Amino acid sequence: MDIISSKQNKSVRYIKSLQTKPRFRRRERKLILEGDRLIADALASRGKPDIILYLPGRADYEIIAQLQGRGCALQPVSEAVLQYVSDTQQAPGILAAFQLPRPPLPQRAERVMILDAVGEPGNLGAILRTAGAAGVDLAILAPGCVDPYNSKALRAGMGAHFRLPIVEASWPEIGAYCRDLSVYVAMPDASTRHTEVNWLESWGLIFGSEARGISKSALDLARRQISIPMMGAAESLNVAAAAAVILFEAQRQRLASAKR
């Protein structure tokens, strides 16, 4: 197959539009994954790419073999073309367009994380990665959150988008779904410590934007405000760090209970 060297190639232009135009990406219900690791995670979750661009000689041929084994059409491109469509300073050897994951909404989730207008894609992706590792059943993105399929969010998520159910919902929808849960909101100055919560109960946990703070809708939904105790002059943690501390405390309690 001839190597594509023109930026005006139909597939190249399509990938570029998906990479740079969120509305187009949502209309097409596609996302772009760059690099062997993310593509391998998507394949392990039974994803199948529609378009694959790769650089001969740099792409991991184990991934290439997997894709060929699934009957995927691979299009070799020049280094200049791959760099043109990549969102990174140094393009990896391969990128692909996948359908947006559409995991089923659990009828009843016992551990629900809710993100309130988290606007930084790296933070959002890191939180989703942590949530998947800490045993969260469902992540709900409330209004105002950054696009979870932004390339930076995907890279920071390290495959969490394909392992954790992620939905976007309005506050009335979130309230209806969480009506049987004990809902907490993380706040820097709350009097209840995160270690004082009984995380063995079914819960919802809200994390808010560092820039905007917690919305009134989130405060209205939460049963209790909780905080992480701080030492020294620190006032608060980055939201991704705070999520890791609290979610792994919840996991620690569950693991300790299971050993009894």
Side-chain angles (χ1 to χ4, degrees), residues 142-213:
C145 281
V146 68
D147 179 7
Y149 304 106
N150 172 293
S151 59
K152 292 181 180 178
L154 288 167
R155 287 197 297 273
M158 292 295 289
H161 294 73
F162 290 90
R163 296 190 291 269
L164 174 68
I166 302 166
V167 300
E168 297 170 278
S170 67
W171 281 110
E173 291 171 331
I174 296 170
Y177 189 84
C178 296
R179 62 182 176 272
D180 295 326
L181 303 178
S182 296
V183 180
Y184 304 93
V185 59
M187 300 282 286
D189 56 355
S191 59
T192 301
R193 296 186 176 191
H194 71 293
T195 52
E196 296 171 345
V197 175
N198 179 8
W199 295 108
L200 301 182
E201 296 179 345
S202 299
W203 50 262
L205 176 58
I206 304 171
F207 295 102
S209 162
E210 292 177 67
R212 302 181 191 177

Side-chain angles (χ1 to χ4, degrees), residues 51-70:
I51 300 174
I52 306 154
L53 305 182
Y54 75 101
L55 186 63
R58 192 194 296 171
D60 184 328
Y61 277 90
E62 289 187 11
I63 295 294
I64 295 294
Q66 285 188 53
L67 292 165
Q68 289 174 332
R70 297 192 184 195

Side-chain angles (χ1 to χ4, degrees), residues 3 33-37 39-40 52-68 74-79 82 90-96:
I3 293 177
L33 297 181
E34 298 195 44
D36 305 321
R37 171 67 184 275
I39 291 174
I52 306 154
L53 305 182
Y54 75 101
L55 186 63
R58 192 194 296 171
D60 184 328
Y61 277 90
E62 289 187 11
I63 295 294
I64 295 294
Q66 285 188 53
L67 292 165
Q68 289 174 332
L74 292 95
Q75 301 182 42
V77 297
S78 68
E79 185 167 358
L82 199 66
Q90 179 62 47
I94 187 169
L95 59 78

Side-chain angles (χ1 to χ4, degrees), residues 41-42 57 68-69 72 96 109 111 122 137 159 223 250-251:
D41 282 337
Q68 289 174 332
C72 300
R111 298 175 288 273
D137 298 322
R223 185 182 82 173
Q251 185 192 54

Side-chain angles (χ1 to χ4, degrees), residues 28-151:
E28 295 292 299
R29 294 206 58 79
K30 299 283 177 62
L31 57 79
I32 301 297
L33 297 181
E34 298 195 44
D36 305 321
R37 171 67 184 275
L38 288 180
I39 291 174
D41 282 337
L43 293 175
S45 300
R46 300 183 180 179
K48 183 177 180 180
D50 300 310
I51 300 174
I52 306 154
L53 305 182
Y54 75 101
L55 186 63
R58 192 194 296 171
D60 184 328
Y61 277 90
E62 289 187 11
I63 295 294
I64 295 294
Q66 285 188 53
L67 292 165
Q68 289 174 332
R70 297 192 184 195
C72 300
L74 292 95
Q75 301 182 42
V77 297
S78 68
E79 185 167 358
V81 165
L82 199 66
Q83 188 63 58
Y84 171 69
V85 295
S86 174
D87 188 61
T88 62
Q89 289 187 347
Q90 179 62 47
I94 187 169
L95 59 78
F98 283 79
Q99 289 287 331
L100 287 180
R102 301 188 70 178
L105 185 66
Q107 287 189 351
R108 175 173 170 76
E110 295 186 355
R111 298 175 288 273
V112 178
M113 181 184 69
I114 303 154
L115 300 184
D116 178 19
V118 174
E120 206 288 310
N123 276 340
L124 187 140
I127 294 168
L128 294 176
R129 181 182 181 185
T130 294
V136 169
D137 298 322
L138 173 67
I140 302 179
L141 308 188
C145 281
V146 68
D147 179 7
Y149 304 106
N150 172 293
S151 59

